[in-house]
Amino acid sequence: MQVSNNLLDLCPMNFRVKVFILLFIFSGIASFSQSYESYHPDGKVKVRGMKINGLKAGTWTWYFPDGGIKVTGHYVRGKRNGIFTWFFVDGSKNYEGEYKEDISNGTFKFFKKNGKPEAIGSLFNEVKQDKWEWYFDNGKTME
């Protein structure tokens, strides 16, 4: 008869599986996701997104009281990452900008209500870079 010094070798197989599952869950490898919604006083959705381990993740969208989209953007581990877009109440694009690790990094574009550009420029670590282009109502650049 072979004697084992390993306690798990002495346990039934289903117990070993349970131990593995518990170790997996408590090791932080497993993640817990939940959808998130907040509401305006009238009951319409104000914000909708997903949380993983309590942190914002994936696409989040904020809404005006009338139900139109106010802001939409992507989160990774609770931080803004990628392009965020803001809208006017009428649904036209107000501005958009790039974020990396929750910091303004990249191109930002501002629009007039008629959809034409108002300003375009870059930010790096939330600091304005180079010369920004500003536009007249007719779409021509200001100099």
Side-chain angles (χ1 to χ4, degrees), residues 3 19-20 29 33 39 43 46 48 56 58 60 89 94 104 107 114 117 128 132 139:
V3 177
V19 168
F20 174 77
I29 295 171
S33 65
Y39 301 91
K46 182 177 183 178
R48 178 180 287 143
K56 290 179 183 173
W60 277 66
V89 175
N94 185 346
S104 306
T107 303
N114 64 9
K128 190 171 138 181
W132 281 48

Side-chain angles (χ1 to χ4, degrees), residues 49-83:
M50 178 70 67
K51 288 188 175 185
I52 296 178
N53 294 332
L55 301 174
K56 290 179 183 173
T59 301
W60 277 66
T61 305
W62 286 260
Y63 298 89
F64 288 110
D66 70 359
I69 295 175
K70 184 176 185 178
V71 182
T72 187
H74 193 79
Y75 283 84
V76 175
R77 290 183 294 284
K79 295 182 179 182
R80 291 173 289 183
N81 275 285
I83 295 175

Side-chain angles (χ1 to χ4, degrees), residues 34-54:
Q34 67 184 62
S35 59
Y36 176 88
E37 284 187 350
S38 174
Y39 301 91
H40 288 286
D42 66 359
K44 290 184 181 175
V45 176
K46 182 177 183 178
V47 61
R48 178 180 287 143
M50 178 70 67
K51 288 188 175 185
I52 296 178
N53 294 332

